[in-house]
Amino acid sequence: MAGNLDITLSNRLRKSPYYEATLRSGAKSFTIYNHMLMPVVYEGSDEDYWNLINNVTLWDVAAERQVEITGNDAYRFVEYITPRDLSSLQIGQGKYALITDENGGVVNDPIILRLGENHFWLSIADNDVLLWTRGLACGLGWDVQIDEPDVSPLAIQGPNSLPLMVDLFGDWVKELKYFFFKETELDGIPLIVQRSGWSKQGGFELYLRDGAQGERLWDMVMEAGKKYDIKPGSPNNIERIESGLFSWGNDMDLNTNALELPLEKFCQLDKSAEYLSRDALHKIRSKGVARKVVGLIIDGKAFDGGCASTWKVSSNNKTCGKVTSAAYSPRLKKNISIATIDKGFNAIGSTVNVDSPWGSRLATVTNIPFN
Amino acid sequence: MAGNLDITLSNRLRKSPYYEATLRSGAKSFTIYNHMLMPVVYEGSDEDYWNLINNVTLWDVAAERQVEITGNDAYRFVEYITPRDLSSLQIGQGKYALITDENGGVVNDPIILRLGENHFWLSIADNDVLLWTRGLACGLGWDVQIDEPDVSPLAIQGPNSLPLMVDLFGDWVKELKYFFFKETELDGIPLIVQRSGWSKQGGFELYLRDGAQGERLWDMVMEAGKKYDIKPGSPNNIERIESGLFSWGNDMDLNTNALELPLEKFCQLDKSAEYLSRDALHKIRSKGVARKVVGLIIDGKAFDGGCASTWKVSSNNKTCGKVTSAAYSPRLKKNISIATIDKGFNAIGSTVNVDSPWGSRLATVTNIPFN
């Protein structure tokens, strides 16, 4: 039910600089993300979850590829692709943003890092933002260069990530504010260190800038982490649903418009900079959205796995939505999920039916995050 | 060595309309292609190969997603994205083409189908051509609409595909020329039938236009194929290397320019229509290319698997290229491969060294296809 399959390797399925190290560290199961293998299970989804919640874990997230944007029009271009107001984005700071198309549809939801006045990285979710941005820039004829640099993030996540990072880099990491970053090195390995990561347990990401040093970096962090009982880990489906971290391809796609997500604080529709989706999003705002991405708490026995394909949501036998991510939370002792639900059925507290692989269940619409 | 891993399912890894049917039919191993699960092994790579060579096989290739381009500027746009001259492309005809960017780099290598004067499908390889084309069209401001329609190809490949297709559709399929297609239906299931497919063993593709009928279509073809001892199959790594079918992501990527591939007959650099990569490709043509994609016959014991990651190619201990695909051909009784090799080392008949997972081997540069 959890849903696992055998996958045949090929050169097309890219290997991260940490790939061999993750195999040595006991990676049991993978996903494909941005054409790259990414480990998602070590001891087990639950064991990995508790390691993250209670301690500290090291993640190969090299599959979060970087799209580098430089050139005289780079700042103008980055403003153009998102409804988020980036006018206050400082050099050395990152911001989460929705990349939106001409219809207001969500192309991707990266962290945008500003490395210079006209130098940005998009640290992306699972699709070819490189192609979207290059195509758009080509058509516009603006002065930007867009490439995928040799950059491979490694995440250190969990409550003990801070003392471990202090051991590795020194006291200055304590002062790093959320989403801020610094260019540095570790024993000659060129890095950007950011306070960030795809969990809400606290942590950092090390953006490795030399793929040849991946295994060395992994081993150095593992060695330094021994005193904190560090474990290999990965973006954890249970924790990220609890924390309300949406996943592109699971909880949203190009057909999801930005206003269907409960992410209003990241959309400044009236920002002064020019942006592609302005007209579409203004129209959607006046008209109201036809559906919303919400949380659902689902009754009954603990789920024995995640959402391998969408589950139908209904009310009085009428389809009114779909569950797109789900897990049993061992901490909340509840089945929690993310769902897209139609207008009229998505008010907080509403009750709906969910066709799960473990039978039909009652469910209650709730706010996200769950904790 | 062949390289298999466990993969964790999620909604983000899309399921084809034939997915449940392929599991029922014994799919043992999958790949991810255009964010979708695609079966690649049933009985075994060798057994599947012989079924294809000797008989007839049914393939779930729904992961060959379609990018639909319509609108007043659709023809102009499709010419714009490729160096192939499409002026003679008829309604009801398909052509293989390289999609190229402003540097002449290969974005993708689809079959372009013309359904109407200004109505096209790109039947694509593994990346988000939808994002590339939509971004470009947005930037240009041309009058085109670009979408991913509900279309899921199913391939019938092998020497017995023709009699089976006649049984299913009638004698007219015999008259269908290579890459030509016809809109039709099968017991009410809306289809486009094309003489095409990712093998050189002869065959057809059925472009299913209603995903809800996937399992029914699969079962109908399997039932009709019983008298020909049809087997489930898939794009086969051995056969496609023998036949010189290049794979985007394996044998080429955005950093491969169109002239590095032995596909000159698909590039009309002096075509009259306007196209994006004209200046770049003209420059590369005058200067000459620095490397070429070629065939390699590799000495020694039969390989026990494919190329899970690139293998280094060298000459006198100097790196001069990489192997990107490889297989042992049980028909040619040779190790065959596709490689990218630098100028000075890639002349037909040259000898180079290959670092395979089974040791260092001598290899000879050869023409593609191998048979």
Side-chain angles (χ1 to χ4, degrees):
Chain A
M1 278 300 190
N4 284 49
L5 284 178
D6 181 270
I7 193 167
T8 296
L9 296 183
S10 62
N11 177 34
R12 181 174 52 76
L13 303 181
R14 298 195 284 178
K15 319 305 170 291
S16 104
Y18 314 112
Y19 175 63
E20 296 293 340
T22 65
L23 289 174
R24 271 197 278 115
S25 295
K28 271 188 198 160
S29 187
F30 288 76
T31 191
I32 302 291
Y33 201 89
N34 283 321
H35 308 272
M36 189 173 271
L37 290 160
M38 178 164 74
V40 291
V41 180
Y42 285 88
E43 293 177 62
S45 189
D46 279 22
E47 294 87 339
D48 295 352
Y49 167 83
W50 288 116
N51 290 335
L52 167 61
I53 297 285
N54 293 326
N55 201 1
V56 59
T57 52
L58 182 61
W59 305 1
D60 170 5
V61 284
E64 290 171 8
R65 304 308 303 158
Q66 306 305 300
V67 173
E68 181 165 63
I69 303 173
T70 55
N72 287 326
D73 291 325
Y75 168 65
R76 180 182 171 209
F77 184 77
V78 174
E79 283 278 20
Y80 189 69
I81 59 178
T82 177
R84 180 140 198 198
D85 183 353
L86 299 174
S87 58
S88 65
L89 183 64
Q90 300 169 42
I91 296 171
Q93 185 183 10
K95 284 194 176 185
Y96 175 76
L98 299 174
I99 306 299
T100 43
D101 71 7
E102 75 280 19
N103 308 311
V106 180
V107 175
N108 203 281
D109 64 329
I111 306 294
I112 301 179
L113 291 83
R114 187 171 206 165
L115 286 89
E117 203 57 49
N118 273 311
H119 185 185
F120 298 86
W121 286 352
L122 314 183
S123 187
I124 64 170
D126 177 33
N127 64 23
D128 296 325
V129 177
L130 183 70
L131 295 182
W132 169 257
T133 50
R134 286 182 70 162
L136 186 60
C138 252
L140 291 166
W142 290 6
D143 179 8
V144 290
Q145 290 77 51
I146 304 177
D147 287 291
E148 185 187 85
D150 174 11
V151 174
S152 302
L154 187 67
I156 301 177
Q157 301 286 304
N160 279 331
S161 57
L162 185 59
L164 170 56
M165 284 292 292
V166 170
D167 288 355
L168 283 166
F169 292 94
D171 276 333
W172 64 265
V173 296
K174 291 185 194 166
E175 309 307 320
L176 210 53
K177 284 185 288 178
Y178 194 58
F179 276 171
F180 278 74
F181 63 85
K182 191 176 159 182
E183 305 193 33
T184 183
E185 60 170 47
L186 187 66
D187 198 26
I189 303 176
L191 297 170
I192 277 182
V193 170
Q194 186 179 31
R195 195 157 204 158
S196 57
W198 214 56
S199 85
K200 292 286 182 195
Q201 306 313 310
F204 296 82
E205 286 175 296
L206 315 183
Y207 294 77
L208 170 65
R209 304 179 87 167
D210 174 6
Q213 309 222 48
E215 290 202 67
R216 197 174 143 234
L217 177 62
W218 177 277
D219 290 341
M220 282 174 74
V221 177
M222 278 304 219
E223 186 60 34
K226 272 185 184 166
K227 64 190 262 205
Y228 304 103
D229 199 23
I230 193 170
K231 302 280 185 191
S234 69
N236 182 278
N237 191 50
I238 306 169
E239 195 278 341
R240 72 102 183 159
I241 297 173
E242 285 177 359
S243 299
L245 298 172
F246 302 113
S247 163
W248 198 97
N250 282 314
D251 308 313
M252 64 181 118
D253 62 26
L254 206 52
N255 299 313
T256 310
N257 77 59
L259 301 182
E260 291 172 345
L261 292 156
L263 298 172
E264 293 79 3
K265 68 176 169 176
F266 303 113
C267 297
Q268 287 75 44
L269 302 195
D270 300 305
K271 74 175 188 176
S272 60
E274 180 191 16
Y275 69 100
L276 176 63
S277 58
R278 179 187 295 271
D279 289 352
L281 290 178
H282 275 245
K283 256 180 222 160
I284 295 167
R285 182 172 60 180
S286 355
K287 210 183 145 193
V289 294
R291 55 183 196 166
K292 263 290 196 189
V293 175
V294 296
L296 275 185
I297 292 173
I298 304 177
D299 289 358
K301 217 178 140 207
F303 289 154
D304 193 25
C307 182
S309 295
T310 56
W311 306 341
K312 190 173 88 168
V313 176
S314 61
S315 178
N316 290 322
N317 296 315
K318 187 185 169 297
T319 301
C320 63
K322 59 185 177 183
V323 169
T324 56
S325 295
Y328 175 72
S329 161
R331 192 154 54 94
L332 305 173
K333 299 201 183 348
K334 281 175 187 164
N335 294 311
I336 56 176
S337 77
I338 299 169
T340 301
I341 301 189
D342 294 344
K343 196 174 159 178
F345 304 91
N346 60 25
I348 305 302
S350 305
T351 306
V352 290
N353 266 85
V354 170
D355 287 356
S356 89
W358 304 278
S360 179
R361 300 278 184 97
L362 275 179
T364 307
V365 177
T366 181
N367 281 312
I368 301 174
F370 288 91
N371 40 0
Chain B
M1 279 300 189
N4 284 47
L5 284 179
D6 181 271
I7 192 167
T8 297
L9 296 183
S10 62
N11 177 35
R12 181 174 53 77
L13 303 180
R14 298 195 285 179
K15 320 304 171 293
S16 104
Y18 314 112
Y19 175 62
E20 295 293 340
T22 65
L23 289 175
R24 271 197 278 116
S25 295
K28 271 188 199 160
S29 187
F30 288 76
T31 191
I32 302 292
Y33 200 89
N34 283 321
H35 307 273
M36 188 173 272
L37 290 160
M38 179 163 75
V40 292
V41 179
Y42 286 88
E43 293 178 62
S45 189
D46 279 23
E47 295 87 339
D48 295 351
Y49 167 83
W50 287 116
N51 290 335
L52 166 62
I53 297 286
N54 293 327
N55 201 1
V56 57
T57 52
L58 182 61
W59 304 2
D60 170 5
V61 284
E64 290 171 9
R65 305 308 303 158
Q66 307 304 301
V67 173
E68 181 165 64
I69 302 172
T70 55
N72 287 325
D73 291 326
Y75 168 66
R76 180 182 171 208
F77 184 77
V78 174
E79 283 278 19
Y80 189 69
I81 60 177
T82 177
R84 179 141 198 197
D85 184 354
L86 299 174
S87 58
S88 65
L89 182 64
Q90 299 170 43
I91 295 171
Q93 186 183 8
K95 284 194 176 185
Y96 176 77
L98 299 174
I99 307 299
T100 44
D101 71 7
E102 75 281 18
N103 308 310
V106 181
V107 175
N108 202 282
D109 63 329
I111 308 294
I112 301 179
L113 292 83
R114 186 173 207 164
L115 286 89
E117 204 55 50
N118 273 311
H119 186 184
F120 299 85
W121 286 352
L122 314 183
S123 187
I124 64 170
D126 177 33
N127 64 24
D128 297 324
V129 177
L130 183 69
L131 295 182
W132 169 257
T133 50
R134 286 182 69 163
L136 186 60
C138 251
L140 291 167
W142 289 6
D143 179 9
V144 289
Q145 290 77 51
I146 305 177
D147 289 290
E148 186 188 85
D150 173 11
V151 173
S152 303
L154 187 66
I156 301 177
Q157 300 286 304
N160 279 331
S161 57
L162 185 59
L164 170 56
M165 284 293 291
V166 170
D167 290 355
L168 284 166
F169 292 94
D171 277 333
W172 64 265
V173 296
K174 291 185 195 166
E175 309 307 320
L176 210 52
K177 283 185 288 179
Y178 194 58
F179 276 171
F180 279 74
F181 63 84
K182 191 176 158 181
E183 305 194 33
T184 183
E185 61 171 46
L186 187 66
D187 198 25
I189 304 177
L191 297 170
I192 277 181
V193 170
Q194 185 180 32
R195 195 157 204 157
S196 58
W198 214 56
S199 85
K200 292 288 183 195
Q201 306 312 310
F204 296 82
E205 286 176 295
L206 315 182
Y207 294 78
L208 170 64
R209 304 179 87 166
D210 174 7
Q213 310 223 47
E215 289 202 69
R216 199 174 141 233
L217 177 62
W218 177 277
D219 290 341
M220 282 174 74
V221 177
M222 278 304 220
E223 185 61 33
K226 273 186 184 164
K227 64 192 263 204
Y228 304 103
D229 199 23
I230 193 170
K231 302 280 184 191
S234 70
N236 183 278
N237 191 51
I238 305 168
E239 195 278 341
R240 73 103 182 157
I241 297 173
E242 285 178 359
S243 298
L245 298 172
F246 303 113
S247 163
W248 198 97
N250 281 314
D251 308 313
M252 63 180 120
D253 62 26
L254 205 52
N255 299 313
T256 310
N257 77 58
L259 301 182
E260 290 172 345
L261 292 156
L263 298 173
E264 295 79 2
K265 67 176 170 176
F266 303 114
C267 297
Q268 287 76 44
L269 302 196
D270 301 305
K271 75 175 188 176
S272 60
E274 180 191 16
Y275 69 100
L276 175 64
S277 57
R278 180 187 295 270
D279 289 353
L281 290 178
H282 276 245
K283 257 180 221 161
I284 295 166
R285 183 172 60 179
S286 352
K287 210 181 147 195
V289 294
R291 55 183 196 167
K292 263 289 196 189
V293 175
V294 297
L296 275 186
I297 292 174
I298 304 177
D299 288 357
K301 219 180 139 204
F303 288 155
D304 193 24
C307 182
S309 295
T310 56
W311 305 341
K312 189 172 87 167
V313 177
S314 61
S315 178
N316 289 322
N317 295 316
K318 186 185 170 297
T319 300
C320 63
K322 58 185 178 184
V323 169
T324 56
S325 296
Y328 175 72
S329 162
R331 194 156 51 95
L332 305 174
K333 301 202 183 346
K334 283 175 187 165
N335 294 311
I336 57 175
S337 77
I338 299 170
T340 300
I341 300 189
D342 294 346
K343 197 174 160 178
F345 304 90
N346 61 25
I348 305 301
S350 305
T351 306
V352 291
N353 267 85
V354 170
D355 286 356
S356 88
W358 304 278
S360 180
R361 301 276 184 97
L362 274 179
T364 308
V365 177
T366 182
N367 281 313
I368 301 173
F370 288 90
N371 40 0

